[in-house]
Amino acid sequence: MRIDWVADAKHRGFYSSFQYVTLIGGQLTAIMVLLLLQKVFLTQQELQDWGWRIPFVIGALLAVFAAVMRRKLHETEAFEEAKKIAKPTGSIAGLLKYPRELLLVVGLTAGGTAAFYTFTTYMQTFVRLSVGLSADETTYVIFGSLLFATLLQPIYGGLSDRIGRKPLLIFFGVVGTLSTIPILTTLKQTKSPLMAFLLICAAWVFVAGYTSINAIVKAELFPTKVRALGVGLPYAITVSVFGGTAPAIALYFKSAGHEDWFYYYLSGMIFLSLIIYTTMRDTKHESAMHRHE
């Protein structure tokens, strides 16, 4: 018996928002595993001696499970129908026929991925070293803020199905540009775990405007035959260049004695993406999802 769960055109934003629910959920799961090992099962010495390997073993087992699940997935009816019209292409030559869309993926991703990595990966280091919270306080603050971020994703995704993708992206760009420096500056100055939690949550109010819908926006830019490569390649490169490097850039500025320079860097990255958001089409209303040429 085959059961398919595929988002219809009216709910793509809502369902695609769960991409970042799973991304953030992975980080929440990692924190929970760490807390269980630290507080319930192992002593600090056991954790340092051999217990640190346990999360890696769990991750490896889950990777095998995910690989099996992916092998059993069925293609959508729309994709099967598209193959009858035009064969999917994985060639760079075919992808280069869509230069504007490629540049759009880079532009709309750059600021968003830098913000995402800042308020997830780097935030643990920032709260611990710059704010000065204890290890336990840091863990609880980050866990709570990530849980809040997870809850925002489907709300914003559903909202995009009603008002469009572009308003949410512009919301992220405008508020992110204006609020990033004040939030990070105030966060560094506070010594209260509650205030730190509230400030990070405030950042997620605008960051979720990007994370919740970025997947569907990119998918709606390309016709079927080049969609996988058109989304995957420029997105992966942009995340590597601007997202993965965000913590390293922040730490570099901190080591140079100019930590606040990173606040301006991040705000500037969001502003550059804002320029793209204001000039691109709203992909909800002008989607290429139906195009199979």
Side-chain angles (χ1 to χ4, degrees):
M1 181 179 179
R2 171 176 168 176
I3 300 176
D4 291 332
W5 298 90
V6 180
D8 59 89
K10 294 182 179 180
H11 300 93
R12 284 175 182 153
F14 173 76
Y15 285 109
S16 69
S17 70
F18 283 88
Q19 180 200 15
Y20 269 80
V21 170
T22 59
L23 283 175
I24 301 171
Q27 295 175 315
L28 285 171
T29 303
I31 293 175
M32 287 190 287
V33 170
L34 177 61
L35 285 173
L36 287 172
L37 292 178
Q38 286 180 328
K39 305 297 183 182
V40 180
F41 296 108
L42 302 177
T43 66
Q44 188 63 34
Q45 189 60 47
E46 289 173 333
L47 188 61
Q48 291 179 353
D49 289 344
W50 56 271
W52 59 270
R53 296 180 176 89
I54 294 176
F56 291 94
V57 174
I58 295 174
L61 293 175
L62 289 175
V64 173
F65 177 70
V68 173
M69 283 186 61
R70 291 176 65 178
R71 289 191 64 183
K72 295 179 179 295
L73 287 177
H74 299 286
E75 293 290 357
T76 64
E77 292 181 5
F79 184 81
E80 296 292 349
E81 185 65 27
K83 288 199 298 184
K84 300 175 183 178
I85 302 173
K87 290 185 177 180
T89 176
S91 69
I92 298 297
L95 185 60
L96 291 178
K97 296 178 181 178
Y98 303 89
R100 185 175 184 275
E101 285 76 9
L102 288 172
L103 292 175
L104 280 175
V105 172
V106 173
L108 68 90
T109 301
T113 192
F116 174 74
Y117 274 83
T118 296
F119 292 105
T120 53
T121 305
Y122 178 63
M123 202 42 47
Q124 283 200 17
T125 303
F126 185 79
V127 169
R128 185 76 178 91
L129 298 182
S130 298
V131 179
L133 300 186
S134 67
D136 283 348
E137 289 173 337
T138 297
T139 299
Y140 294 133
V141 165
I142 298 302
F143 183 88
S145 64
L146 289 178
L147 184 60
F148 177 74
T150 302
L151 296 175
L152 286 179
Q153 305 307 309
I155 295 174
Y156 280 43
L159 182 61
S160 79
D161 288 324
R162 290 180 174 271
I163 67 173
R165 324 293 186 212
K166 190 170 180 177
L168 282 179
L169 290 173
I170 291 177
F171 168 73
F172 160 66
V174 172
V175 181
T177 300
L178 297 176
S179 301
T180 295
I181 296 171
I183 286 176
L184 291 177
T185 301
T186 307
L187 181 58
K188 182 180 179 180
Q189 295 171 349
T190 187
K191 300 302 176 186
S192 165
L194 177 59
M195 183 58 67
F197 166 74
L198 292 175
L199 286 167
I200 298 173
C201 287
W204 273 109
V205 168
F206 63 82
V207 175
Y210 163 80
T211 56
S212 61
I213 61 170
N214 91 94
I216 188 60
V217 170
K218 297 178 180 72
E220 289 172 336
L221 285 172
F222 294 93
T224 305
K225 68 175 184 177
V226 296
R227 186 172 297 132
L229 186 62
V231 173
L233 181 61
Y235 175 73
I237 293 174
T238 308
V239 169
S240 299
V241 173
F242 297 106
T245 60
I249 293 172
L251 289 173
Y252 171 78
F253 285 138
K254 181 177 178 62
S255 66
H258 300 287
E259 188 170 28
D260 58 328
W261 287 6
F262 177 72
Y263 313 164
Y264 291 90
Y265 165 80
L266 179 57
S267 183
M269 289 300 305
I270 296 174
F271 176 74
L272 290 177
S273 284
L274 173 60
I275 297 174
I276 302 299
Y277 303 150
T278 57
T279 57
M280 67 181 291
R281 70 179 190 267
D282 191 323
T283 58
K284 179 185 184 301
H285 304 298
E286 299 180 57
S287 173
M289 294 285 280
H290 63 284
R291 289 166 45 198
H292 307 315
E293 76 274 8

